[in-house]
Amino acid sequence: LLRPMMRWLFPEVPDGHPAQGAMLMNISANVLGLDNAATPMGLQAMRELQDLNEDKETATNSMATFLAINTSSVTLVPFSMIALRSAAGSEDPAAPVFGMILATFFSTVVAIFTVRALSKLPMFAPPPPPVSPNDGPPSDGPSSGAAAAEGGAA
């Protein structure tokens, strides 16, 4: 059911990878307003995403997207806010729930599209892999350049 959405959001993550499960659990906990339960799953998801990362010094687009979704934190049932309002003596602690749902939904949509737009800019493109001396074109040895120079001079 959620596979097409996960493939679109995180195309770098292979189907069935443990990172997908950890991200889904984290997002589900956030949607239910279970902030403290979401934290360990979010940390596990980032560890799994880092395992897929070839350049350990740079975050991948999937990592940035996951962080943006997590930061915007779409919430359907904000239990924490309802509990705080109830403890403060509010007559209707659930009154602002619709506004919270709307705000978190739009902040998540904006976060996803911002990450997508920024990832297309050259300044945010991942750096090319470093070239080692062994990765150059094959040569006939150290004297091949000198032999070619002598042959060209004759």
Side-chain angles (χ1 to χ4, degrees):
L1 179 65
L2 296 175
R3 182 173 289 170
M5 180 186 69
M6 291 296 286
R7 295 296 313 142
W8 183 77
L9 287 171
F10 309 105
E12 300 165 342
V13 180
D15 276 338
H17 192 275
Q20 282 185 335
M23 286 187 290
L24 279 173
M25 289 189 299
N26 172 270
I27 292 168
S28 298
N30 276 328
V31 164
L32 295 174
L34 306 172
D35 305 327
N36 290 337
T39 301
M41 291 176 269
L43 293 172
Q44 181 62 32
M46 279 301 207
R47 275 189 222 101
E48 297 289 346
L49 289 170
Q50 182 68 355
D51 288 343
L52 292 172
N53 191 357
E54 293 176 11
D55 180 8
K56 303 298 184 193
E57 298 297 317
T58 305
T60 64
N61 288 338
S62 292
M63 294 169 96
T65 302
F66 180 65
L67 183 64
I69 290 170
N70 227 340
T71 303
S72 68
S73 186
V74 69
T75 303
L76 292 180
V77 187
F79 289 117
S80 301
M81 190 58 72
I82 292 171
L84 286 171
R85 288 177 50 85
S86 180
S90 174
E91 289 181 18
D92 188 6
V97 167
F98 180 72
M100 289 179 201
I101 292 171
L102 220 57
T104 59
F105 173 77
F106 283 115
S107 70
T108 301
V109 169
V110 168
I112 291 168
F113 283 106
T114 301
V115 167
R116 288 290 170 105
L118 290 175
S119 71
K120 293 181 186 338
L121 295 177
M123 104 165 80
F124 294 109
V131 178
S132 69
N134 298 334
D135 290 343
S139 66
D140 294 333
S143 63
S144 64
E150 289 173 14

